[in-house]
Amino acid sequence: MSAGERRVRVAIVNYGVGNLRSIYRALEIAGASPVITREIVALERADAIVLPGVGAYVAAMRFINSIRDKFINILLEKPVLGICLGMQLLFEGSEEGGFVRGLGLLKGYVTRLPANVKLPHMGWNHVRIIKEHSHLISGLPKKTFMYFAHSYAPPVNDSYTVAITEYGRPFPSIIESGNLFGMQFHPEKSGRHGRILLANFVRLVREEHAKNTL
Amino acid sequence: MVLAKRIIPCLDVKDGKVVKGISFKNLRLAGDPAELASLYERQGADEIVFLDITASIEGRKAMIDVIKRTADVLSIPLTVGGGIRSLSDIEELLSSGADKVSINTAAVLNPSLIREASEIFGSQCIVVAIDAKRKQAYEWEVYIYGGTRPTGLNAVKWAMKVEELGAGELLVTSIDADGTKRGYDLDLLRRIAMSVNIPLIASGGAGSPHHIYQALTIGGADAALAASIFHYGEYTIGSIKKYLVERGIPIRLTGEDVVDRA
């Protein structure tokens, strides 16, 4: 980033109670200017949206549904990063809390991981990259440990799956589809490699922003 | 691919400073929690636990400040326990930068707190801490108020109960073993590991890498928590992880996993 360039504005959507401080701080370190908000105006003004990994599916969708159409329009026009629960919200719905309808921007339903493993899936597990050309993963080893804390996950689908993790069943741990990005683990809690991913995302946002202001 | 076993240093914090209790008594001063947590992350710690042993209101405020400062520099998960009584206590800790909270006494006094907290914040951030003392050969009793008050509850049955209430993880401390450095109570760990289907963190008694190895194998634990063996420089986290890897335990080695890019 040159001296004259402004930091890109990343809005972290405040739809649930939890630790938003760590993702805020991690985005700041990654070179962005983050803001935690649930105001439409602030979301519209942002260069990118982060759907954070806090709270429950039903609670997050309750907020999102109160502004659903406007919210979806915002997500269609700028880079979006969903983390953990935030990634799951991008899908058609989830089993968590009965059945809850999601944003429906990606095909498929989020289901509970099998009962033959301890749940939540808690701790450091391998993330194996299967799609090398994603810009999100540049500088990342082909296989690396990331920090997970979840019991539900979306299905694997060739169209958006960039990396896979196995726990009870395989699930997509990094996804990319157009302007939509997602990570089932917590990059802000995954040490150095998590920081690389967030820096890559912020760089993508900056490139996108530069393109749009030409 | 397999989930790595975790090594978790625990810092006892009083009035914003690190201390270590020997059998929950005789506190010794040892430094700044944020600095120590950061040092442990660089050594390869998989998570950090802060246990707040402060009673005063000023001490609680100092703890919130410590959590914020720590969360701002840490890029691994942080769990905070000690003195949590209500949903608003949990909310304050999480919004200050804790990823998980560990609930002990309040879980016994008010079990519905576990259910409500796991519904609102998600099971993955609710850890229930169980302090257990051996009563007879294969029976342990749950103690509360920092290990000072017996409850009459059977520790294995209590573990199953809190799983049902929505706890996402158990942190089981043997009061008998804590501070002795003679090893974890493996019988206690194994009984609980066999009875629940949520992750188990072993605590109390670690004096050597071999003790940690035992907890993760014989004890069936998913993570091993220790304090004094790290604080006083007897072993680094890296040296313990190396010991475990050599014995076939799945462990996250920091730096090493960069090598295998195809």
mmCIF file of all heavy atoms in Angstrom, chain A residues 29-76:
data_model
loop_
_atom_site.group_PDB
_atom_site.id
_atom_site.type_symbol
_atom_site.label_atom_id
_atom_site.label_comp_id
_atom_site.label_asym_id
_atom_site.label_seq_id
_atom_site.Cartn_x
_atom_site.Cartn_y
_atom_site.Cartn_z
ATOM 1 N N ILE A 29 -4.524 -5.653 11.385
ATOM 2 C CA ILE A 29 -3.147 -6.102 11.142
ATOM 3 C C ILE A 29 -2.963 -6.456 9.659
ATOM 4 O O ILE A 29 -1.912 -6.230 9.074
ATOM 5 C CB ILE A 29 -2.797 -7.305 12.058
ATOM 6 C CG1 ILE A 29 -2.711 -6.838 13.515
ATOM 7 C CG2 ILE A 29 -1.473 -7.964 11.635
ATOM 8 C CD1 ILE A 29 -2.630 -7.968 14.532
ATOM 9 N N ALA A 30 -4.037 -6.989 9.047
ATOM 10 C CA ALA A 30 -3.968 -7.380 7.630
ATOM 11 C C ALA A 30 -3.995 -6.166 6.695
ATOM 12 O O ALA A 30 -3.913 -6.322 5.480
ATOM 13 C CB ALA A 30 -5.117 -8.334 7.302
ATOM 14 N N GLY A 31 -4.150 -4.965 7.237
ATOM 15 C CA GLY A 31 -4.066 -3.753 6.423
ATOM 16 C C GLY A 31 -5.393 -3.092 6.105
ATOM 17 O O GLY A 31 -5.451 -2.150 5.323
ATOM 18 N N ALA A 32 -6.481 -3.582 6.705
ATOM 19 C CA ALA A 32 -7.789 -2.994 6.444
ATOM 20 C C ALA A 32 -8.171 -2.013 7.544
ATOM 21 O O ALA A 32 -7.543 -1.951 8.592
ATOM 22 C CB ALA A 32 -8.845 -4.096 6.355
ATOM 23 N N SER A 33 -9.234 -1.262 7.274
ATOM 24 C CA SER A 33 -9.822 -0.401 8.287
ATOM 25 C C SER A 33 -11.191 -0.993 8.626
ATOM 26 O O SER A 33 -12.158 -0.756 7.917
ATOM 27 C CB SER A 33 -9.936 1.014 7.727
ATOM 28 O OG SER A 33 -10.667 1.807 8.618
ATOM 29 N N PRO A 34 -11.263 -1.830 9.668
ATOM 30 C CA PRO A 34 -12.526 -2.527 9.951
ATOM 31 C C PRO A 34 -13.511 -1.683 10.748
ATOM 32 O O PRO A 34 -13.115 -0.737 11.440
ATOM 33 C CB PRO A 34 -12.088 -3.732 10.782
ATOM 34 C CG PRO A 34 -10.739 -3.388 11.330
ATOM 35 C CD PRO A 34 -10.191 -2.214 10.582
ATOM 36 N N VAL A 35 -14.789 -2.036 10.611
ATOM 37 C CA VAL A 35 -15.812 -1.424 11.452
ATOM 38 C C VAL A 35 -16.822 -2.524 11.801
ATOM 39 O O VAL A 35 -17.140 -3.361 10.959
ATOM 40 C CB VAL A 35 -16.484 -0.219 10.737
ATOM 41 C CG1 VAL A 35 -17.076 -0.622 9.397
ATOM 42 C CG2 VAL A 35 -17.558 0.406 11.608
ATOM 43 N N ILE A 36 -17.251 -2.551 13.066
ATOM 44 C CA ILE A 36 -18.252 -3.529 13.492
ATOM 45 C C ILE A 36 -19.602 -2.829 13.467
ATOM 46 O O ILE A 36 -19.782 -1.805 14.117
ATOM 47 C CB ILE A 36 -17.934 -4.059 14.913
ATOM 48 C CG1 ILE A 36 -16.585 -4.785 14.914
ATOM 49 C CG2 ILE A 36 -19.048 -4.985 15.403
ATOM 50 C CD1 ILE A 36 -16.076 -5.171 16.297
ATOM 51 N N THR A 37 -20.545 -3.362 12.690
ATOM 52 C CA THR A 37 -21.775 -2.602 12.487
ATOM 53 C C THR A 37 -22.966 -3.492 12.133
ATOM 54 O O THR A 37 -22.791 -4.624 11.706
ATOM 55 C CB THR A 37 -21.581 -1.561 11.351
ATOM 56 O OG1 THR A 37 -22.771 -0.776 11.244
ATOM 57 C CG2 THR A 37 -21.340 -2.253 10.009
ATOM 58 N N ARG A 38 -24.206 -2.972 12.347
ATOM 59 C CA ARG A 38 -25.394 -3.597 11.777
ATOM 60 C C ARG A 38 -26.247 -2.561 11.051
ATOM 61 O O ARG A 38 -27.420 -2.772 10.794
ATOM 62 C CB ARG A 38 -26.183 -4.370 12.843
ATOM 63 C CG ARG A 38 -26.491 -3.591 14.116
ATOM 64 C CD ARG A 38 -26.887 -4.541 15.232
ATOM 65 N NE ARG A 38 -28.119 -5.232 14.942
ATOM 66 C CZ ARG A 38 -28.496 -6.387 15.512
ATOM 67 N NH1 ARG A 38 -27.722 -6.954 16.401
ATOM 68 N NH2 ARG A 38 -29.631 -6.934 15.229
ATOM 69 N N GLU A 39 -25.621 -1.444 10.701
ATOM 70 C CA GLU A 39 -26.315 -0.371 9.976
ATOM 71 C C GLU A 39 -26.176 -0.562 8.467
ATOM 72 O O GLU A 39 -25.055 -0.699 7.960
ATOM 73 C CB GLU A 39 -25.706 0.994 10.344
ATOM 74 C CG GLU A 39 -25.737 1.343 11.827
ATOM 75 C CD GLU A 39 -27.153 1.466 12.362
ATOM 76 O OE1 GLU A 39 -28.032 1.947 11.614
ATOM 77 O OE2 GLU A 39 -27.382 1.069 13.517
ATOM 78 N N ILE A 40 -27.296 -0.532 7.766
ATOM 79 C CA ILE A 40 -27.294 -0.668 6.302
ATOM 80 C C ILE A 40 -26.335 0.329 5.637
ATOM 81 O O ILE A 40 -25.563 -0.038 4.761
ATOM 82 C CB ILE A 40 -28.717 -0.440 5.741
ATOM 83 C CG1 ILE A 40 -29.666 -1.507 6.271
ATOM 84 C CG2 ILE A 40 -28.693 -0.394 4.215
ATOM 85 C CD1 ILE A 40 -29.983 -2.619 5.329
ATOM 86 N N VAL A 41 -26.408 1.567 6.099
ATOM 87 C CA VAL A 41 -25.588 2.624 5.482
ATOM 88 C C VAL A 41 -24.102 2.268 5.565
ATOM 89 O O VAL A 41 -23.355 2.417 4.592
ATOM 90 C CB VAL A 41 -25.848 3.987 6.186
ATOM 91 C CG1 VAL A 41 -25.089 5.103 5.508
ATOM 92 C CG2 VAL A 41 -27.335 4.280 6.209
ATOM 93 N N ALA A 42 -23.697 1.772 6.733
ATOM 94 C CA ALA A 42 -22.286 1.415 6.919
ATOM 95 C C ALA A 42 -21.908 0.216 6.050
ATOM 96 O O ALA A 42 -20.802 0.154 5.515
ATOM 97 C CB ALA A 42 -22.011 1.130 8.387
ATOM 98 N N LEU A 43 -22.850 -0.724 5.912
ATOM 99 C CA LEU A 43 -22.584 -1.901 5.070
ATOM 100 C C LEU A 43 -22.462 -1.490 3.603
ATOM 101 O O LEU A 43 -21.615 -1.979 2.865
ATOM 102 C CB LEU A 43 -23.702 -2.942 5.238
ATOM 103 C CG LEU A 43 -23.872 -3.547 6.642
ATOM 104 C CD1 LEU A 43 -25.134 -4.408 6.707
ATOM 105 C CD2 LEU A 43 -22.655 -4.375 7.024
ATOM 106 N N GLU A 44 -23.323 -0.553 3.196
ATOM 107 C CA GLU A 44 -23.283 -0.074 1.804
ATOM 108 C C GLU A 44 -21.986 0.677 1.507
ATOM 109 O O GLU A 44 -21.432 0.565 0.428
ATOM 110 C CB GLU A 44 -24.492 0.840 1.526
ATOM 111 C CG GLU A 44 -25.762 0.037 1.259
ATOM 112 C CD GLU A 44 -27.020 0.904 1.180
ATOM 113 O OE1 GLU A 44 -26.998 2.074 1.637
ATOM 114 O OE2 GLU A 44 -28.029 0.391 0.676
ATOM 115 N N ARG A 45 -21.526 1.408 2.497
ATOM 116 C CA ARG A 45 -20.336 2.243 2.302
ATOM 117 C C ARG A 45 -19.043 1.412 2.281
ATOM 118 O O ARG A 45 -18.037 1.829 1.721
ATOM 119 C CB ARG A 45 -20.274 3.279 3.439
ATOM 120 C CG ARG A 45 -19.525 4.537 3.056
ATOM 121 C CD ARG A 45 -19.312 5.448 4.257
ATOM 122 N NE ARG A 45 -20.556 5.908 4.864
ATOM 123 C CZ ARG A 45 -20.797 5.909 6.184
ATOM 124 N NH1 ARG A 45 -19.884 5.462 7.039
ATOM 125 N NH2 ARG A 45 -21.941 6.348 6.655
ATOM 126 N N ALA A 46 -19.089 0.208 2.885
ATOM 127 C CA ALA A 46 -17.876 -0.607 3.024
ATOM 128 C C ALA A 46 -17.400 -1.152 1.677
ATOM 129 O O ALA A 46 -18.186 -1.318 0.748
ATOM 130 C CB ALA A 46 -18.141 -1.753 3.981
ATOM 131 N N ASP A 47 -16.084 -1.420 1.596
ATOM 132 C CA ASP A 47 -15.515 -2.011 0.385
ATOM 133 C C ASP A 47 -15.671 -3.532 0.391
ATOM 134 O O ASP A 47 -15.566 -4.168 -0.650
ATOM 135 C CB ASP A 47 -14.028 -1.667 0.281
ATOM 136 C CG ASP A 47 -13.798 -0.165 0.257
ATOM 137 O OD1 ASP A 47 -14.471 0.509 -0.535
ATOM 138 O OD2 ASP A 47 -12.981 0.335 1.059
ATOM 139 N N ALA A 48 -15.865 -4.104 1.572
ATOM 140 C CA ALA A 48 -16.048 -5.555 1.693
ATOM 141 C C ALA A 48 -16.822 -5.856 2.966
ATOM 142 O O ALA A 48 -16.888 -5.029 3.876
ATOM 143 C CB ALA A 48 -14.692 -6.257 1.736
ATOM 144 N N ILE A 49 -17.420 -7.061 2.988
ATOM 145 C CA ILE A 49 -18.227 -7.478 4.140
ATOM 146 C C ILE A 49 -17.628 -8.742 4.752
ATOM 147 O O ILE A 49 -17.290 -9.677 4.021
ATOM 148 C CB ILE A 49 -19.687 -7.795 3.704
ATOM 149 C CG1 ILE A 49 -20.316 -6.625 2.937
ATOM 150 C CG2 ILE A 49 -20.533 -8.207 4.911
ATOM 151 C CD1 ILE A 49 -20.603 -5.399 3.754
ATOM 152 N N VAL A 50 -17.517 -8.755 6.073
ATOM 153 C CA VAL A 50 -17.130 -9.986 6.766
ATOM 154 C C VAL A 50 -18.316 -10.469 7.599
ATOM 155 O O VAL A 50 -18.883 -9.702 8.390
ATOM 156 C CB VAL A 50 -15.885 -9.773 7.661
ATOM 157 C CG1 VAL A 50 -15.692 -10.945 8.617
ATOM 158 C CG2 VAL A 50 -14.639 -9.608 6.799
ATOM 159 N N LEU A 51 -18.709 -11.723 7.372
ATOM 160 C CA LEU A 51 -19.734 -12.363 8.202
ATOM 161 C C LEU A 51 -18.979 -13.183 9.241
ATOM 162 O O LEU A 51 -18.385 -14.210 8.910
ATOM 163 C CB LEU A 51 -20.634 -13.270 7.343
ATOM 164 C CG LEU A 51 -21.281 -12.614 6.106
ATOM 165 C CD1 LEU A 51 -22.024 -13.664 5.280
ATOM 166 C CD2 LEU A 51 -22.238 -11.512 6.534
ATOM 167 N N PRO A 52 -18.945 -12.727 10.498
ATOM 168 C CA PRO A 52 -18.057 -13.347 11.481
ATOM 169 C C PRO A 52 -18.619 -14.652 12.045
ATOM 170 O O PRO A 52 -19.809 -14.955 11.892
ATOM 171 C CB PRO A 52 -17.963 -12.280 12.571
ATOM 172 C CG PRO A 52 -19.261 -11.571 12.511
ATOM 173 C CD PRO A 52 -19.679 -11.580 11.055
ATOM 174 N N GLY A 53 -17.759 -15.394 12.708
ATOM 175 C CA GLY A 53 -18.127 -16.696 13.260
ATOM 176 C C GLY A 53 -18.520 -16.612 14.715
ATOM 177 O O GLY A 53 -17.867 -17.165 15.587
ATOM 178 N N VAL A 54 -19.601 -15.899 14.990
ATOM 179 C CA VAL A 54 -20.088 -15.814 16.376
ATOM 180 C C VAL A 54 -21.587 -16.081 16.437
ATOM 181 O O VAL A 54 -22.315 -15.815 15.490
ATOM 182 C CB VAL A 54 -19.815 -14.423 17.017
ATOM 183 C CG1 VAL A 54 -18.322 -14.158 17.121
ATOM 184 C CG2 VAL A 54 -20.507 -13.309 16.242
ATOM 185 N N GLY A 55 -22.023 -16.642 17.567
ATOM 186 C CA GLY A 55 -23.446 -16.827 17.824
ATOM 187 C C GLY A 55 -24.028 -18.057 17.148
ATOM 188 O O GLY A 55 -23.310 -18.980 16.778
ATOM 189 N N ALA A 56 -25.337 -18.048 16.975
ATOM 190 C CA ALA A 56 -26.055 -19.200 16.433
ATOM 191 C C ALA A 56 -26.677 -18.835 15.088
ATOM 192 O O ALA A 56 -26.948 -17.666 14.808
ATOM 193 C CB ALA A 56 -27.145 -19.630 17.408
ATOM 194 N N TYR A 57 -26.919 -19.874 14.252
ATOM 195 C CA TYR A 57 -27.471 -19.679 12.897
ATOM 196 C C TYR A 57 -28.791 -18.908 12.936
ATOM 197 O O TYR A 57 -28.988 -17.936 12.215
ATOM 198 C CB TYR A 57 -27.680 -21.048 12.237
ATOM 199 C CG TYR A 57 -27.656 -21.025 10.721
ATOM 200 C CD1 TYR A 57 -26.500 -21.374 10.030
ATOM 201 C CD2 TYR A 57 -28.788 -20.671 9.982
ATOM 202 C CE1 TYR A 57 -26.458 -21.367 8.640
ATOM 203 C CE2 TYR A 57 -28.753 -20.650 8.595
ATOM 204 C CZ TYR A 57 -27.593 -21.000 7.919
ATOM 205 O OH TYR A 57 -27.556 -20.987 6.549
ATOM 206 N N VAL A 58 -29.689 -19.376 13.834
ATOM 207 C CA VAL A 58 -31.024 -18.789 13.871
ATOM 208 C C VAL A 58 -30.986 -17.309 14.277
ATOM 209 O O VAL A 58 -31.693 -16.471 13.706
ATOM 210 C CB VAL A 58 -31.985 -19.618 14.768
ATOM 211 C CG1 VAL A 58 -31.523 -19.653 16.211
ATOM 212 C CG2 VAL A 58 -33.419 -19.098 14.681
ATOM 213 N N ALA A 59 -30.110 -16.985 15.226
ATOM 214 C CA ALA A 59 -30.010 -15.596 15.698
ATOM 215 C C ALA A 59 -29.447 -14.702 14.596
ATOM 216 O O ALA A 59 -29.953 -13.593 14.365
ATOM 217 C CB ALA A 59 -29.134 -15.528 16.943
ATOM 218 N N ALA A 60 -28.429 -15.187 13.902
ATOM 219 C CA ALA A 60 -27.821 -14.394 12.825
ATOM 220 C C ALA A 60 -28.841 -14.165 11.705
ATOM 221 O O ALA A 60 -28.981 -13.047 11.198
ATOM 222 C CB ALA A 60 -26.581 -15.104 12.281
ATOM 223 N N MET A 61 -29.589 -15.231 11.338
ATOM 224 C CA MET A 61 -30.567 -15.087 10.252
ATOM 225 C C MET A 61 -31.749 -14.208 10.664
ATOM 226 O O MET A 61 -32.341 -13.533 9.823
ATOM 227 C CB MET A 61 -31.055 -16.454 9.776
ATOM 228 C CG MET A 61 -30.066 -17.205 8.883
ATOM 229 S SD MET A 61 -29.319 -16.247 7.513
ATOM 230 C CE MET A 61 -30.766 -15.739 6.589
ATOM 231 N N ARG A 62 -32.073 -14.219 11.956
ATOM 232 C CA ARG A 62 -33.160 -13.358 12.425
ATOM 233 C C ARG A 62 -32.818 -11.893 12.123
ATOM 234 O O ARG A 62 -33.650 -11.139 11.615
ATOM 235 C CB ARG A 62 -33.403 -13.561 13.923
ATOM 236 C CG ARG A 62 -34.738 -13.000 14.395
ATOM 237 C CD ARG A 62 -34.971 -13.268 15.882
ATOM 238 N NE ARG A 62 -34.996 -14.678 16.194
ATOM 239 C CZ ARG A 62 -34.311 -15.247 17.196
ATOM 240 N NH1 ARG A 62 -33.538 -14.497 17.982
ATOM 241 N NH2 ARG A 62 -34.403 -16.534 17.424
ATOM 242 N N PHE A 63 -31.575 -11.530 12.414
ATOM 243 C CA PHE A 63 -31.164 -10.156 12.105
ATOM 244 C C PHE A 63 -31.139 -9.926 10.592
ATOM 245 O O PHE A 63 -31.709 -8.954 10.077
ATOM 246 C CB PHE A 63 -29.796 -9.825 12.707
ATOM 247 C CG PHE A 63 -29.213 -8.570 12.121
ATOM 248 C CD1 PHE A 63 -29.778 -7.336 12.399
ATOM 249 C CD2 PHE A 63 -28.138 -8.633 11.234
ATOM 250 C CE1 PHE A 63 -29.279 -6.178 11.802
ATOM 251 C CE2 PHE A 63 -27.647 -7.482 10.641
ATOM 252 C CZ PHE A 63 -28.214 -6.254 10.930
ATOM 253 N N ILE A 64 -30.495 -10.856 9.877
ATOM 254 C CA ILE A 64 -30.341 -10.688 8.427
ATOM 255 C C ILE A 64 -31.711 -10.597 7.745
ATOM 256 O O ILE A 64 -31.927 -9.755 6.863
ATOM 257 C CB ILE A 64 -29.492 -11.835 7.839
ATOM 258 C CG1 ILE A 64 -28.027 -11.645 8.261
ATOM 259 C CG2 ILE A 64 -29.609 -11.881 6.309
ATOM 260 C CD1 ILE A 64 -27.120 -12.811 7.928
ATOM 261 N N ASN A 65 -32.664 -11.429 8.181
ATOM 262 C CA ASN A 65 -33.989 -11.420 7.553
ATOM 263 C C ASN A 65 -34.727 -10.096 7.746
ATOM 264 O O ASN A 65 -35.603 -9.751 6.951
ATOM 265 C CB ASN A 65 -34.833 -12.587 8.070
ATOM 266 C CG ASN A 65 -34.391 -13.904 7.443
ATOM 267 O OD1 ASN A 65 -33.805 -13.920 6.362
ATOM 268 N ND2 ASN A 65 -34.644 -15.006 8.140
ATOM 269 N N SER A 66 -34.347 -9.361 8.809
ATOM 270 C CA SER A 66 -35.009 -8.073 9.045
ATOM 271 C C SER A 66 -34.604 -7.046 7.982
ATOM 272 O O SER A 66 -35.267 -6.017 7.827
ATOM 273 C CB SER A 66 -34.689 -7.562 10.458
ATOM 274 O OG SER A 66 -33.332 -7.170 10.545
ATOM 275 N N ILE A 67 -33.500 -7.321 7.262
ATOM 276 C CA ILE A 67 -33.056 -6.410 6.190
ATOM 277 C C ILE A 67 -32.698 -7.224 4.944
ATOM 278 O O ILE A 67 -31.859 -6.820 4.141
ATOM 279 C CB ILE A 67 -31.820 -5.582 6.640
ATOM 280 C CG1 ILE A 67 -30.700 -6.500 7.177
ATOM 281 C CG2 ILE A 67 -32.199 -4.546 7.677
ATOM 282 C CD1 ILE A 67 -29.361 -5.801 7.323
ATOM 283 N N ARG A 68 -33.343 -8.384 4.789
ATOM 284 C CA ARG A 68 -32.886 -9.427 3.856
ATOM 285 C C ARG A 68 -32.568 -8.931 2.433
ATOM 286 O O ARG A 68 -31.455 -9.131 1.943
ATOM 287 C CB ARG A 68 -33.919 -10.555 3.796
ATOM 288 C CG ARG A 68 -33.404 -11.762 3.014
ATOM 289 C CD ARG A 68 -34.395 -12.917 3.016
ATOM 290 N NE ARG A 68 -33.880 -13.978 2.179
ATOM 291 C CZ ARG A 68 -33.230 -15.060 2.639
ATOM 292 N NH1 ARG A 68 -33.037 -15.211 3.933
ATOM 293 N NH2 ARG A 68 -32.765 -15.964 1.815
ATOM 294 N N ASP A 69 -33.508 -8.294 1.771
ATOM 295 C CA ASP A 69 -33.294 -7.942 0.361
ATOM 296 C C ASP A 69 -32.145 -6.961 0.181
ATOM 297 O O ASP A 69 -31.291 -7.141 -0.682
ATOM 298 C CB ASP A 69 -34.586 -7.371 -0.241
ATOM 299 C CG ASP A 69 -35.668 -8.454 -0.337
ATOM 300 O OD1 ASP A 69 -35.313 -9.649 -0.179
ATOM 301 O OD2 ASP A 69 -36.839 -8.107 -0.540
ATOM 302 N N LYS A 70 -32.122 -5.942 1.043
ATOM 303 C CA LYS A 70 -31.033 -4.959 0.961
ATOM 304 C C LYS A 70 -29.693 -5.618 1.248
ATOM 305 O O LYS A 70 -28.687 -5.345 0.604
ATOM 306 C CB LYS A 70 -31.266 -3.833 1.975
ATOM 307 C CG LYS A 70 -32.264 -2.805 1.508
ATOM 308 C CD LYS A 70 -32.400 -1.692 2.523
ATOM 309 C CE LYS A 70 -33.487 -0.725 2.086
ATOM 310 N NZ LYS A 70 -33.988 0.080 3.198
ATOM 311 N N PHE A 71 -29.719 -6.516 2.240
ATOM 312 C CA PHE A 71 -28.489 -7.198 2.656
ATOM 313 C C PHE A 71 -27.939 -8.047 1.511
ATOM 314 O O PHE A 71 -26.750 -8.003 1.197
ATOM 315 C CB PHE A 71 -28.764 -8.052 3.896
ATOM 316 C CG PHE A 71 -27.533 -8.557 4.593
ATOM 317 C CD1 PHE A 71 -26.703 -7.691 5.291
ATOM 318 C CD2 PHE A 71 -27.196 -9.908 4.548
ATOM 319 C CE1 PHE A 71 -25.557 -8.155 5.940
ATOM 320 C CE2 PHE A 71 -26.054 -10.375 5.191
ATOM 321 C CZ PHE A 71 -25.237 -9.503 5.892
ATOM 322 N N ILE A 72 -28.806 -8.808 0.874
ATOM 323 C CA ILE A 72 -28.364 -9.668 -0.233
ATOM 324 C C ILE A 72 -27.817 -8.822 -1.386
ATOM 325 O O ILE A 72 -26.778 -9.144 -1.961
ATOM 326 C CB ILE A 72 -29.512 -10.604 -0.693
ATOM 327 C CG1 ILE A 72 -29.707 -11.699 0.375
ATOM 328 C CG2 ILE A 72 -29.209 -11.239 -2.063
ATOM 329 C CD1 ILE A 72 -30.832 -12.665 0.114
ATOM 330 N N ASN A 73 -28.470 -7.707 -1.668
ATOM 331 C CA ASN A 73 -27.945 -6.812 -2.713
ATOM 332 C C ASN A 73 -26.541 -6.328 -2.402
ATOM 333 O O ASN A 73 -25.697 -6.248 -3.295
ATOM 334 C CB ASN A 73 -28.877 -5.617 -2.900
ATOM 335 C CG ASN A 73 -30.092 -5.994 -3.738
ATOM 336 O OD1 ASN A 73 -30.022 -6.929 -4.539
ATOM 337 N ND2 ASN A 73 -31.191 -5.287 -3.549
ATOM 338 N N ILE A 74 -26.300 -6.016 -1.132
ATOM 339 C CA ILE A 74 -24.965 -5.570 -0.717
ATOM 340 C C ILE A 74 -23.946 -6.694 -0.920
ATOM 341 O O ILE A 74 -22.852 -6.474 -1.435
ATOM 342 C CB ILE A 74 -24.987 -5.100 0.762
ATOM 343 C CG1 ILE A 74 -25.799 -3.799 0.878
ATOM 344 C CG2 ILE A 74 -23.574 -4.891 1.291
ATOM 345 C CD1 ILE A 74 -26.140 -3.403 2.300
ATOM 346 N N LEU A 75 -24.352 -7.928 -0.547
ATOM 347 C CA LEU A 75 -23.427 -9.064 -0.672
ATOM 348 C C LEU A 75 -23.124 -9.402 -2.126
ATOM 349 O O LEU A 75 -22.094 -10.003 -2.426
ATOM 350 C CB LEU A 75 -23.999 -10.316 0.017
ATOM 351 C CG LEU A 75 -24.235 -10.247 1.533
ATOM 352 C CD1 LEU A 75 -24.624 -11.614 2.064
ATOM 353 C CD2 LEU A 75 -23.018 -9.724 2.274
ATOM 354 N N LEU A 76 -24.016 -9.035 -3.031
ATOM 355 C CA LEU A 76 -23.812 -9.368 -4.447
ATOM 356 C C LEU A 76 -22.793 -8.455 -5.117
ATOM 357 O O LEU A 76 -22.260 -8.784 -6.161
ATOM 358 C CB LEU A 76 -25.154 -9.300 -5.210
ATOM 359 C CG LEU A 76 -26.169 -10.405 -4.864
ATOM 360 C CD1 LEU A 76 -27.488 -10.152 -5.596
ATOM 361 C CD2 LEU A 76 -25.618 -11.787 -5.205
#
